[in-house]
Amino acid sequence: MYTAQGRIDQRQLLDDYMPLVRRQALSMQVRLPASVELDDLIQAGMLGLLDAFKRFDADQGATFSTYASQRVRGAMIDELRSRDWLPRSVRRSARDIDRAIWKLEQRDGRAPTEREVASELGIELREYQQVLSDTNNGFLMTYEDSSSDEAEASRLSESVETSLDPHDAWIAGAERHEMMAAIEALPEREKLMMALYYQEELNLKEIGAVMGVSESRVCQLHGQAVARLRAALVSIDD
């Protein structure tokens, strides 16, 4: 990986780690809207790989492969955020859902149903489910990013530097045990969906086949589950 002069051979680096970048891009793409191009993710990932070479410090305890994997993924996420492809109106709707769920849970002492949340928001159930589908496409920071061994190793070697928006901050600031407790408190159907998505790493279509529902319905359930988790982990202003 080094030249005869002891310098990093970037061409050899790109050749050796291209499969890693492509795997990361493919894994992320299946969780994103169809408008996101695989080549764009790969290009961002390659830039993240080069950045990893510049920043890597073997004395921090993480292997380069682990560190590079986190930098590659972080670069892809930064690229997606820079596009700001989720409209402000959808972000506002997501915050309204968070507040409604939090209010109903405080009042009733249990997880509200979708119909109850829709009623609290003053909209029809079908409209609420459409909002869930829309907002779900904006959740780029996932549970495994905050709890994996790779994420822990990366923090030893300078975490990926990303600026979190209000939608993402809840996951980055949550302690792992709080997250696990919040997931455990989810309704059984949503808990199963989260397990299939994050632990078994199935995509939405595969989860739909397991659960006997459509892919769009899985998307709604995921949006609902994430909203419940945010309501549980973030202080909601009155």
Side-chain angles (χ1 to χ4, degrees):
M1 200 174 294
Y2 290 85
T3 65
Q5 291 73 36
R7 291 192 293 269
I8 294 172
D9 186 339
Q10 290 192 356
R11 183 185 296 274
Q12 187 62 47
L13 165 71
L14 296 179
D15 288 344
D16 289 347
Y17 281 87
M18 182 62 184
L20 179 147
V21 174
R22 185 172 178 80
R23 284 197 303 272
Q24 289 271 24
L26 286 169
S27 175
M28 187 174 292
Q29 188 193 36
V30 299
R31 301 163 184 258
L32 295 170
S35 59
V36 178
E37 296 288 341
L38 178 64
D39 287 345
D40 291 342
L41 293 175
I42 290 176
Q43 182 177 5
M46 297 304 282
L47 293 175
L49 176 61
L50 292 174
D51 186 57
F53 249 113
K54 296 176 183 178
R55 296 173 178 268
F56 179 64
D57 182 356
D59 293 334
Q60 294 299 315
T63 66
F64 176 74
S65 179
T66 294
Y67 182 63
S69 178
Q70 286 301 114
R71 298 297 299 190
V72 165
R73 184 175 179 82
M76 293 177 185
I77 291 173
D78 280 349
E79 169 64 20
L80 290 167
R81 287 204 184 99
S82 69
R83 299 184 184 190
D84 194 25
W85 47 268
L86 193 67
R88 289 186 179 181
S89 60
V90 176
R91 294 186 184 276
R92 283 197 300 271
S93 295
R95 288 192 288 271
D96 290 343
I97 291 173
D98 296 349
R99 294 189 183 96
I101 290 174
W102 183 84
K103 180 179 179 180
L104 292 170
E105 286 181 345
Q106 295 300 305
R107 186 191 71 188
D108 300 333
R110 59 171 175 79
T113 66
E114 289 178 275
R115 193 174 296 279
E116 288 171 337
V117 178
S119 178
E120 177 66 25
L121 293 170
I123 59 179
E124 297 293 327
L125 177 61
R126 181 176 299 180
E127 181 181 352
Y128 173 63
Q129 290 175 337
Q130 181 59 54
V131 173
L132 286 177
S133 295
D134 293 341
T135 57
N136 184 64
N137 287 333
F139 302 140
L140 303 180
M141 295 299 288
T142 55
Y143 166 63
E144 75 268 21
D145 291 320
S146 72
S147 61
S148 68
D149 292 338
E150 287 188 0
E152 195 63 36
S154 177
R155 280 191 283 274
L156 293 173
S157 192
E158 185 181 2
S159 297
V160 175
E161 296 164 359
T162 55
S163 58
L164 303 181
D165 64 23
H167 263 299
D168 305 41
W170 70 276
I171 189 88
E175 295 293 337
R176 177 166 183 167
H177 71 275
E178 294 176 342
M179 171 67 74
M180 296 303 293
I183 291 175
E184 189 62 30
L186 289 173
E188 289 301 320
R189 192 172 179 80
E190 291 171 26
K191 192 190 307 184
L192 171 62
M193 181 276 304
M194 295 289 275
L196 293 172
Y197 189 67
Y198 293 109
Q199 295 177 18
E200 302 301 325
E201 297 186 349
L202 302 184
N203 60 38
L204 301 184
K205 184 176 181 179
E206 292 168 336
I207 294 172
V210 172
M211 299 182 66
V213 298
S214 67
E215 184 175 347
S216 63
R217 180 56 181 153
V218 176
C219 184
Q220 293 166 5
L221 289 172
H222 184 268
Q224 176 77 77
V226 172
R228 292 190 201 277
L229 294 176
R230 284 200 311 272
L233 295 168
V234 177
S235 296
I236 304 294
D237 295 331
D238 293 335

